[in-house]
Amino acid sequence: MPVEFLGIAATHDGSETTPRSGAAFDKEYTLRLARAHEDHGWDRVLFAYGSGSPDPAPAAAYIASRLERLQILLAHRPNVSYPTYAAKTFATLDQISEGRLTVHFITGGNDHEQGREGDTLTKDQRYERTREYIRIVKKIWAAREPFDHEGEYYRFHDFVSDVLPVQQPGPRVSFGGSSPAAYAAGGAEADIYCLWGEPLEKTAEQIEAVKAAARAAGRTDVPRIQAAFRPIIAPTEELAWEKAHRTVGAIRARREQGLVRHHRNGAPENTGSQRLIAIAEQGERYDRALWTPTAAATGGAGNSNALVGTPETVARALLDYYDLGVDILSARGYDLLGDAIDFGRHVIPIVREEVAKRDAERAARGPQALAAVRA
């Protein structure tokens, strides 16, 4: 099966280790970073969402209008707009990008962050709302005649959109989370299910949970699986580990100086971050190259477990996840631009070459071998 690489479409050059050098939306840097991904073998980039961050949709449209191949993963929180409006926004962006859009729906795992934009629903209610939202958006993308909707969270009448996406029946839907409610929602609705990088054994357990949720929802297919990591690479193992420890030191220093914005409550509410913290407490190193101190230093914030080593070591580690069934590999370094270039030059070609060999071997064994991988 093909492998794809997802990078980050940051709107400025700041990260957990360094402050940004300019405005929150640095137009020139945004384009430069996206172009670096397109020029160095990446398939798509994520435009992330934060309550106070630049709006990702127009930033994505800006990139889509200037680059020809790079695909876009647009993060969206259902609480910030009505689904009728969002469906038109997505369809317009799919038109601008000529069919290069995937939409990542974020339910929200932190009450304080959701409350910053007026969302007061409980976590379970948010998952129920997200499922209703996704179904409405999908229906709008496919509808050619006006329709009514009377749901738990949304009601409207006689609506039809005059703008349709290039992709039919619509852009792919991406979803993430590590709780039973997340598995149920994403298993039912997602084309792509996103996981944060965990040890191989725990990742395999999560993949099975997603597949089980898809079957429980009556699906005959299953979502593709994406896993996200923070690569720390260098020409030798020794240099890579020196770089890793410098990185953690910089993360801790910025947090101790109060230079990173925190949520009001200390312990994370979302299951994914809780899992990362628990894994870090159980050990620093797992499998071939997974390293947890970066996650511990951020309090389990988002995609934060690292893969440390030479490009060859990190590539082999990623192939271990590919062999589990992860065919979308998300990677984001701490020097956003430099690491995107280095990863694209030195890691992506190794992984693609090895995946091609695996696929050729499976094809030689016949259709049943290929079907077993996709099951």
Side-chain angles (χ1 to χ4, degrees), residues 11-14 20-27 29-30 54:
T11 58
H12 58 76
D13 62 356
R20 72 182 192 226
S21 61
F25 180 55
D26 181 335
K27 187 170 67 172
Y29 181 84
T30 301

Side-chain angles (χ1 to χ4, degrees), residues 42 52 73 93 96 103 109 138 170-171 180 193 199-200 208 222 239 284-285 296 300 325 328 340 349 361:
W42 298 79
L73 178 59
L93 183 51
I96 292 170
V103 183
K138 287 180 176 179
Y193 200 96
L200 291 166
E208 289 307 311
V222 295
L239 289 174
E284 289 193 355
R285 296 179 67 170
I328 302 176
E361 292 170 358

Side-chain angles (χ1 to χ4, degrees), residues 148-163:
D148 299 340
H149 179 81
E150 292 282 348
E152 181 68 23
Y153 297 96
Y154 302 102
R155 296 172 180 81
F156 55 85
H157 304 283
D158 198 40
F159 180 82
V160 64
S161 175
D162 196 35
V163 56

Side-chain angles (χ1 to χ4, degrees), residues 248 257 303:
V248 166
Q257 294 167 22
N303 165 28

Side-chain angles (χ1 to χ4, degrees), residues 44 46 72 152 171 182 213 221-222 238-239 244 258 269 285 291 298 318 361:
R44 66 175 55 82
L46 167 65
I72 292 164
E152 181 68 23
D221 63 338
V222 295
E238 181 180 9
L239 289 174
E269 299 171 15
R285 296 179 67 170
W291 196 53
T298 63
L318 291 169
E361 292 170 358

Side-chain angles (χ1 to χ4, degrees), residues 162-182:
D162 196 35
V163 56
L164 298 173
V166 171
Q167 302 173 80
Q168 285 296 317
R172 289 181 296 177
V173 167
S174 171
F175 195 88
S178 298
S179 67

Side-chain angles (χ1 to χ4, degrees), residues 5-8 16-17 37 42 197 227-234 239-241 243-244 247 251 289-291 294 303-315 317-318 329-336 338-344 346-348 351:
F5 287 91
L6 170 70
I8 191 69
E16 296 94 329
T17 60
H37 282 85
W42 298 79
F229 305 92
R230 306 302 295 270
I232 301 175
I233 61 172
L239 289 174
W241 285 104
K243 182 178 177 181
T247 298
I251 294 171
L290 192 74
W291 196 53
T294 46
N303 165 28
S304 50
N305 270 339
L307 292 176
V308 182
T310 64
E312 293 76 14
T313 296
V314 171
L318 291 169
L329 300 169
S330 174
R332 172 165 57 102
Y334 292 93
D335 171 7
L336 300 180
D339 287 345
I341 293 170
D342 287 346
F343 188 90
H346 303 299
V347 178
I348 289 178
V351 176

Side-chain angles (χ1 to χ4, degrees), residues 174-254:
S174 171
F175 195 88
S178 298
S179 67
Y183 297 144
E189 301 296 338
D191 300 299
I192 299 168
Y193 200 96
C194 306
L195 304 172
W196 289 336
E198 295 187 4
L200 291 166
E201 181 180 1
K202 292 186 178 296
T203 300
E205 292 170 357
Q206 287 194 290
I207 292 172
E208 289 307 311
V210 173
K211 290 180 177 180
R215 291 191 293 267
R219 293 178 60 168
T220 56
D221 63 338
V222 295
R224 296 178 65 187
I225 301 297
Q226 172 184 305
F229 305 92
R230 306 302 295 270
I232 301 175
I233 61 172
T236 69
E237 296 292 328
E238 181 180 9
L239 289 174
W241 285 104
E242 290 177 1
K243 182 178 177 181
H245 288 289
R246 287 197 307 272
T247 298
V248 166
I251 294 171
R252 289 172 178 160
R254 280 178 56 75

